[in-house]
Amino acid sequence: MRHDVVLRLDRTTAEDLHVALYEAGEHIAARAAITPPTTEEAERLGTLLRDLRHALGRRCSPYCDHL
C-alpha cells in the first residue's frame, strides 16, 4: 500500500468535508446554491487541505517548511 494516502479526521472536520463535497455535487448536478462555510468550518477545511497537500508530498508555498 505504498501509494495510499491516509489522513485522520476528527468527526467535526469529517462532517464539514461531507457537507462541502455534497453541496459541490448538488451545485454541479442541479446548479443549487453552495452555502458559504462559517469561519470555523473554513479553517478546519483549510487545515485538511494543507494536510492533504503534505500527504501528497506537495508544499503549500515556496516557504513551506513543515514537511
Side-chain angles (χ1 to χ4, degrees):
M1 300 213 186
R2 190 175 63 138
H3 298 287
D4 288 352
V5 174
V6 178
L7 298 174
R8 295 188 55 84
L9 304 176
D10 60 82
R11 182 155 192 98
T12 303
T13 303
E15 292 285 348
D16 294 342
L17 178 60
H18 174 268
V19 169
L21 292 173
Y22 181 82
E23 288 198 5
E26 287 298 304
H27 176 73
I28 292 167
R31 299 189 194 277
I34 296 176
T35 307
T38 65
T39 301
E40 293 82 11
E41 290 166 340
E43 288 174 358
R44 284 190 295 269
L45 291 172
T47 299
L48 170 62
L49 288 175
R50 183 202 66 207
D51 293 347
L52 178 57
R53 280 191 302 270
H54 290 174
L56 293 170
R58 299 177 183 182
R59 295 184 178 276
C60 32
S61 77
Y63 308 104
C64 173
D65 61 356
H66 37 244
L67 279 182

